Amino acid sequence: MPGLPAWADEDTPVFVISIAAEFSGMHAQTLRSYDRIGLVRPGRASGGGRRYSVRDIALLREVQRLSQEEGVNLAGIKRIIELEREVDQLTDRLAEVTEELARSQTRLQALSEQRGGRGDLLPARRTQSVVVWQPGRRSAPEEPPER
């Protein structure tokens, strides 16, 4: 995208509203409305002015496409955006858990090999639980009733 500083990435809010409106093909007032209803959440400059990132502009273009080409109303677009964000978050979390599982399996395999490959290791979570056993009276086992 033209005008993006070398130090900025797609999430860095750098574009003022007039430039974002031009890049997205919308009027600046439309961008203000979308911000008010929560469709797009631009960053803010120290003086309070909106600053849009490349990702924000791509989202504005998608809002426009869904509205004009697909006929989706703004409430529907907002829900679509929320669901897409949730899917992204869940995908990221799944990747984290998958990596954690792979690391655990690698550690378990290494421990098993250290113990001679007997395969008798099971993962156990360390807890700080205490179980207290108190001996009770032993009673004689009951005999089955006679027939």
Side-chain angles (χ1 to χ4, degrees):
M1 176 151 299
L4 191 64
W7 49 265
D9 64 11
E10 65 182 9
D11 292 317
T12 306
V14 293
F15 300 106
V16 295
I17 194 166
S18 60
I19 301 299
E22 183 179 331
F23 285 159
S24 65
M26 297 180 179
H27 192 276
Q29 193 60 39
T30 303
L31 273 61
R32 289 183 190 94
S33 295
Y34 287 174
D35 182 18
R36 274 193 297 280
I37 63 175
L39 277 177
V40 179
R41 298 181 195 122
R44 297 287 179 165
S46 58
R50 293 171 176 87
R51 295 293 184 268
Y52 293 82
S53 68
V54 171
R55 189 180 305 269
D56 292 332
I57 292 169
L59 180 58
L60 288 167
R61 289 177 178 167
E62 180 64 6
V63 168
Q64 186 176 43
R65 186 193 70 76
L66 286 169
S67 176
Q68 292 177 355
E69 295 176 18
E70 304 295 331
V72 181
N73 65 22
L74 293 181
I77 293 171
K78 185 174 183 180
R79 184 67 179 136
I80 289 169
I81 291 168
E82 289 168 353
L83 290 171
E84 286 177 345
R85 284 183 183 140
E86 188 175 332
V87 166
D88 288 344
Q89 290 170 348
L90 290 170
T91 301
D92 291 345
R93 181 65 183 133
L94 177 60
E96 291 171 9
V97 169
T98 301
E99 289 173 17
E100 184 178 333
L101 177 61
R103 286 190 305 270
S104 295
Q105 288 173 332
T106 301
R107 285 193 311 265
L108 185 60
Q109 181 65 34
L111 285 171
S112 178
E113 289 171 4
Q114 285 176 357
R115 302 211 10 129
R118 292 194 318 247
D120 59 352
L121 292 177
L122 293 174
R125 184 171 293 221
R126 293 179 188 256
T127 66
Q128 295 186 2
S129 300
V130 175
V131 177
V132 177
W133 177 78
Q134 295 179 348
R137 288 191 317 204
R138 296 185 81 187
S139 59
E142 289 184 28
E143 294 183 20
E146 292 184 29
R147 290 186 185 203

